[in-house]
C-alpha cells in the first residue's frame, strides 16, 4: 500500500479517536446545566472527566500535526478556508481548559457559575462546529485551480453542514450522558441514564438523516454499509442503557461515533478536500501529499512513539476507572 494511503488511514484513525474520546468530554460539559442541579452534582460530573480531558485533546493536536506534515496542501487550504470556525473552536477549547482549572479556586457560588458557563459554551461550540467543518470537507467547498478556498463564511453554513453540526452535538451529548452513567453511581447515574434514553431518539434521527444524506451525495457502497453498522451500534447502546449495562452502552455509542467518522472518510477517499467549483481542482491524497521521503520518516517515528502514547493513555483510564458518587465530594 502506498504511504499516502497509509497516512490518510492514520489521520482518519486519529480523528476517530478524538471524536470518541473528546466526544464524551464535550457531552459532559453540555449536560452540566441539565444533570448538575447543584454544585455537588456538577463537581461529580466534572470529576468524571477531570483526569482524562486534557489527554483526550492530544488526539486533535496530533491529527492537525500529521495533516500538516503528511498533506501540507490539505492543511493549508483547510486552515485558511475554515479559519473563523477553527479559531472559534480553538478559543472555546482554551476557555474550557481554563474553566476546569479555575472553577475551584474560590468558594463563591457566583464564581463557580461563571466558570460553569465557560465549560458549557466551551463544550457546545466545538461539538457543533467540528460537525460543520467535517460535513463541508465531505461535501466539498469552492476551491480554485491553485488549491485556494474561494468561498466565504456563509458557504460553510449550508443545510448539510448545519445538519452535520447538529448531529455531532447530539451524538456527543448522548455519549456524555452514557459516560456519566458509566462513571457515577446513585441519583446522578439514574438521571443520566434516563436522559440518554429520551435524548437517544433525537440523536438517532439526526445521525440517520445526516448519514443517509452523505450516502446520497457520494453513493459509496462501503460508506453506506459502515453507516448502517453505526446505526445498529447506536441502537444497541440505547438498548444496553435501558437494561443498565453501562459498559456495553458506552461501547455502543463509542462505536457509533467511530463508525460514523470512518464512513465520512471512506466516502471522501481518494479526495481529502473535494472542490465544488470543478472536480478537477479537488485535493487528493496524491496531489496534496508530502514527498515520499517525508512520509517514510513520519512512518518510522509514528511506529515508535504511537504505541507508547496509547499505552500511557490506556493506563490513565485504568487507574481512574472507579465510579464517583456525591458522597465522595467534600462540602464547600
Amino acid at each position: 500500500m502506498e504511504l499516502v494511503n497509509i497516512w490518510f488511514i492514520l489521520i482518519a484513525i486519529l480523528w476517530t479517536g478524538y471524536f470518541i474520546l473528546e466526544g464524551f468530554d464535550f457531552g459532559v460539559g453540555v449536560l452540566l446545566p441539565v444533570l448538575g442541579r447543584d454544585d455537588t452534582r456538577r463537581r461529580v460530573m466534572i470529576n468524571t472527566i477531570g483526569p482524562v480531558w486534557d489527554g483526550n485533546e492530544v488526539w486533535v493536536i496530533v491529527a492537525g500535526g500529521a495533516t500538516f506534515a503528511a498533506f501540507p496542501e490539505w492543511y493549508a487550504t483547510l486552515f485558511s478556508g475554515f479559519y473563523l470556525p477553527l479559531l472559534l473552536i480553538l478559543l472555546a477549547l482554551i476557555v474550557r481548559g481554563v474553566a476546569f482549572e479555575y472553577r475551584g479556586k474560590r468558594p463563591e457560588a457566583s464564581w463557580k457559575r461563571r466558570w460553569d458557563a465557560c465549560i458549557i459554551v466551551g463544550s457546545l461550540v466545538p461539538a457543533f462546529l467540528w460537525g460543520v467543518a467535517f460535513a463541508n470537507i465531505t461535501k466539498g467547498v469552492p476551491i480554485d485551480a491553485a488549491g485556494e478556498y474561494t468561498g466565504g463564511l456563509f458557504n460553510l453554513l449550508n443545510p448539510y453542514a448545519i445538519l452535520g453540526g447538529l448531529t455531532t452535538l447530539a451524538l456527543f451529548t448522548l455519549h456524555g450522558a452514557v459516560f456519566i452513567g458509566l462513571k457515577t453511581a446513585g441519583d446522578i447515574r439514574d438521571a443520566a441514564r434516563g436522559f440518554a434514553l429520551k435524548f437517544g431518539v433525537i440523536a438517532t434521527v439526526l445521525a440517520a438523516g445526516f448519514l443517509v444524506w452523505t450516502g446520497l451525495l457520494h453513493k459509496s457502497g462501503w460508506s453506506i454499509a459502515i453507516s448502517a453498522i453505526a446505526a445498529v451500534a447506536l441502537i444497541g447502546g440505547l438498548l444496553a442503557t435501558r437494561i443498565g449495562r453501562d459498559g456495553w452502552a458506552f461501547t455502543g455509542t463509542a462505536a457509533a461515533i467511530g463508525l460514523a467518522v470512518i464512513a465520512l472518510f471512506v466516502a471522501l477517499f481518494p479526495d481529502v478536500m473535494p472542490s465544488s467549483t470543478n472536480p478537477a481542482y479537488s485535493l487528493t491524497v496524491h496531489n496534496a501529499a508530502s514527498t515520499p521521503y517525508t512520509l517514510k520518516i513520519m512512518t518510522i517515528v509514528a511506529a515508535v512513539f504511537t504505541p507508547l502514547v496509547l499505552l500511557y493513555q490506556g493506563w490513565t483510564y485504568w487507574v481512574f476507572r472507579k465510579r464517583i458518587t456525591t458522597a465522595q465530594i467534600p462540602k464547600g
Side-chain angles (χ1 to χ4, degrees):
M1 183 183 293
E2 293 181 281
L3 285 178
V4 291
N5 295 336
I6 291 175
W7 274 98
F8 180 85
I9 294 171
L10 290 176
I11 289 172
I13 291 172
L14 288 170
W15 281 110
T16 300
Y18 174 68
F19 282 143
I20 291 174
L21 297 177
E22 190 82 311
F24 66 75
D25 287 350
F26 291 147
V28 171
V30 170
L31 290 172
L32 210 57
V34 180
L35 302 179
R37 293 197 299 268
D38 54 52
D39 182 63
T40 301
R41 291 165 68 99
R42 288 192 291 272
R43 290 174 66 184
V44 168
M45 292 173 64
I46 292 171
N47 284 357
T48 62
I49 60 175
V52 297
W53 70 266
D54 49 355
N56 293 342
E57 286 189 352
V58 171
W59 286 75
V60 72
I61 297 172
V62 177
T67 303
F68 171 77
F71 300 100
E73 294 295 333
W74 182 14
Y75 181 93
T77 303
L78 175 63
F79 279 76
S80 60
F82 291 32
Y83 177 81
L84 183 56
L86 293 177
L87 176 62
L88 291 175
I89 290 173
L90 177 61
L91 291 175
L93 293 177
I94 292 172
V95 168
R96 189 180 69 130
V98 171
F100 283 137
E101 299 296 332
Y102 275 76
R103 184 187 187 276
K105 298 300 182 182
R106 289 171 57 177
E108 294 90 347
S110 59
W111 172 270
K112 293 180 179 179
R113 282 197 301 269
R114 285 194 291 270
W115 289 117
D116 286 344
C118 290
I119 293 173
I120 296 164
V121 174
S123 301
L124 191 152
V125 170
F128 175 73
L129 288 181
W130 279 129
V132 171
F134 269 83
N136 276 294
I137 293 172
T138 306
K139 178 177 180 289
V141 293
I143 300 176
D144 62 18
E148 299 289 338
Y149 176 76
T150 58
L153 175 62
F154 290 103
N155 291 99
L156 302 178
L157 297 177
N158 55 78
Y160 176 73
I162 291 174
L163 178 59
L166 292 174
T167 299
T168 52
L169 176 58
L171 287 176
F172 293 165
T173 302
L174 174 62
H175 197 35
V178 172
F179 180 75
I180 294 170
L182 175 67
K183 286 290 295 177
T184 62
D187 57 345
I188 298 181
R189 174 178 179 262
D190 295 337
R193 290 180 57 236
F195 176 87
L197 290 173
K198 295 176 182 177
F199 189 76
V201 177
I202 298 174
T204 302
V205 171
L206 287 171
F210 178 69
L211 292 175
V212 167
W213 196 341
T214 302
L216 293 175
L217 282 175
H218 290 274
K219 298 180 175 60
S220 168
W222 280 108
S223 179
I224 293 171
I226 295 171
S227 297
I229 299 173
V232 172
L234 184 59
I235 294 171
L238 293 174
L239 292 175
T241 299
R242 180 177 290 277
I243 62 175
R245 301 296 297 273
D246 298 320
W248 283 109
F250 182 76
T251 300
T253 54
I257 292 172
L259 289 167
V261 177
I262 292 172
L264 293 183
F265 275 94
V266 170
L268 188 61
F269 186 82
D271 293 333
V272 293
M273 206 160 181
S275 172
S276 60
T277 305
N278 187 333
Y281 301 158
S282 297
L283 300 179
T284 70
V285 292
H286 293 96
N287 65 23
S290 292
T291 64
Y293 181 75
T294 300
L295 296 177
K296 182 178 179 179
I297 296 298
M298 288 176 60
T299 303
I300 295 172
V301 173
V304 173
F305 288 101
T306 300
L308 298 177
V309 173
L310 292 176
L311 285 172
Y312 173 77
Q313 192 163 25
W315 176 79
T316 303
Y317 276 92
W318 175 256
V319 169
F320 295 100
R321 66 189 182 279
K322 293 184 179 179
R323 292 180 183 266
I324 304 171
T325 66
T326 54
Q328 297 169 330
I329 303 298
K331 300 296 181 182

